[in-house]
Amino acid sequence: MPISSLFRKEVIAMSAYKVADASGLIKLDAMENPYNWPEDIKTSWLETLRDCPLNRYPDPEAKLLTETIKYLYQIPDQFDVLLGNGSDEIIQILLMALPSDACVLAPTPGFVMYKQLSDCLGLNYHGIPLLAENFELNLPAMLAAIQQYQPSVIFLAYPNNPTGNLFSAASIKEIIKTAKGLVVIDEAYSPFADASFISSLGQYDNLLVMRTVSKLGLAGLRLGYIAGSTEIIEQLHKIRLPYNINCLTQLSANFALSNKALFDQQTQAICAERAIVYKQLKSLNGIAAYPSNANFILFKTPENTASKIFESIKRQGVLIKNLNAQGGLLRDCLRVTIGKPEENSTFLNALINSLGEIG
Ligand SMILES: *Cc1c(COP(=O)(O)O)cnc(C)c1O
């Protein structure tokens, strides 16, 4: 018997989540904020960390940071918040709390971790295709799937990754009302979108709102949070490992969020650049760019050229994301994260050169 037969069949069937090597390249593949901090802010951050007691376990409930988050993002007092080592860990915690035969539903194309984590836990994942013309929710299909599968959890990314759009809020509300299971609105890109379901928490018992500081500009810290009713969050705390948020993350996030004005400036700059890159992409012959409420833009290349264009752009020193292999609505699609103005120009020139190469 091979030693691998010790593992669950769904684990053996999976592949590990691969991250492309970006060394030496301009990194526009992972929705990171391209801006670092000014020197004076770095200095006060290091001062904050000086006396961090690394010999002690961190506060298991990260009370101070939780309070900061509740206050800053106006999460009403009657709701609870659970912090995760990135929102990826929160998705994992939530799915681990479900019965082993539970169904999980999400529109597709969508964020890959919903399926990846459902698969590795042996849950039944169902992806419901978005409408081809505008990546909007197919509401009748979603409602039919809810009736058919009775999902324990539905994930809706708002804005959606990798398409960048905000789904219709009316459709989302219809889904929350119809579903008997939990509905997680994943607001990973909320810093770039003027829309949120946080203020709707009080209206629906089954609604959870999840966010992360990663796309805001703190991807290295690994911190996400989810807000919802006490009855739901208290179950999730039982699955959470006791010290899942380390003390450096607790202190650094608390420090960073108290300098929120800095991130607001950076996200405004990124949104302004998004408009410029979108306009330039749209002006290119053969490229179809999709409108975005996030810090990236999805675009379609001429038929069967996506991988060639991706490789050519990479040879010219810029790493973006090739989504062509995912197929379906993502055939021929590439995704670029908005970087600094000069990085975006380098990307656009590389794209123009690559279009010339394929003729
Ligand atoms: C990036 C992303 C996440 C994961 O964020 P982390 O907090 O870095 O784990 C979650 N949801 C969506 C839609 C994302 O794009």
Side-chain angles (χ1 to χ4, degrees), residues 8-19 112-113 115-120:
R8 279 185 283 120
K9 62 181 187 321
E10 49 270 27
V11 175
I12 295 165
M14 289 173 59
S15 0
Y17 185 83
K18 269 221 210 62
V19 178
V112 293
M113 294 311 284
K115 179 175 191 310
Q116 173 94 1
L117 291 168
S118 298
D119 285 352
C120 87

Side-chain angles (χ1 to χ4, degrees), residues 86-88 91 111 114 157 161 186 188-189 212 214-215 222-224:
S87 41
D88 287 348
I91 301 167
F111 183 48
Y114 308 146
N161 171 13
D186 180 350
Y189 299 96
T212 173
S214 296
K215 314 300 162 46
R222 307 306 298 132
L223 178 70

Side-chain angles (χ1 to χ4, degrees), residues 82-95:
L82 172 119
L83 306 186
N85 187 354
S87 41
D88 287 348
E89 190 194 35
I90 298 175
I91 301 167
Q92 186 184 46
I93 289 172
L94 185 61
L95 295 177

Side-chain angles (χ1 to χ4, degrees), residues 40-212:
D40 57 328
I41 298 209
K42 274 191 198 163
T43 306
S44 23
W45 167 57
L46 290 174
E47 205 48 45
T48 312
L49 294 184
R50 247 188 89 86
D51 298 320
C52 179
L54 286 175
N55 56 321
R56 301 290 178 193
Y57 283 105
D59 173 357
E61 287 150 33
K63 286 185 281 295
L64 188 61
L65 179 55
T66 305
E67 281 315 306
T68 303
I69 286 172
K70 284 184 88 167
Y71 168 76
L72 213 56
Y73 296 104
Q74 294 163 23
I75 298 165
D77 263 344
Q78 72 268 33
F79 297 103
D80 269 348
V81 168
L82 172 119
L83 306 186
N85 187 354
S87 41
D88 287 348
E89 190 194 35
I90 298 175
I91 301 167
Q92 186 184 46
I93 289 172
L94 185 61
L95 295 177
M96 282 170 73
L98 302 181
S100 59
D101 61 349
C103 283
V104 177
L105 197 73
T108 182
F111 183 48
V112 293
M113 294 311 284
Y114 308 146
K115 179 175 191 310
Q116 173 94 1
L117 291 168
S118 298
D119 285 352
C120 87
L121 291 165
L123 305 176
N124 303 301
Y125 177 88
H126 299 280
I128 309 300
L130 294 170
L131 297 176
E133 56 276 20
N134 55 4
F135 300 129
E136 183 53 78
L137 289 168
N138 183 340
L139 187 60
M142 288 295 290
L143 297 180
I146 291 170
Q147 292 308 337
Q148 186 182 348
Y149 302 120
Q150 297 291 321
S152 299
V153 181
I154 301 171
F155 289 103
L156 297 171
Y158 187 75
N160 189 40
N161 171 13
T163 58
N165 58 311
L166 287 164
F167 298 137
S168 143
S171 295
I172 291 181
K173 285 178 186 167
E174 196 64 33
I175 288 168
I176 302 170
K177 276 192 273 185
T178 306
K180 297 195 181 69
L182 304 173
V183 179
V184 178
I185 306 296
D186 180 350
E187 298 187 348
Y189 299 96
S190 66
F192 312 97
D194 204 8
S196 171
F197 272 80
I198 284 204
S199 63
S200 304
L201 277 173
Q203 284 166 261
Y204 312 98
D205 294 340
N206 58 339
L207 172 62
L208 293 157
V209 177
M210 182 171 72
R211 288 187 174 175
T212 173

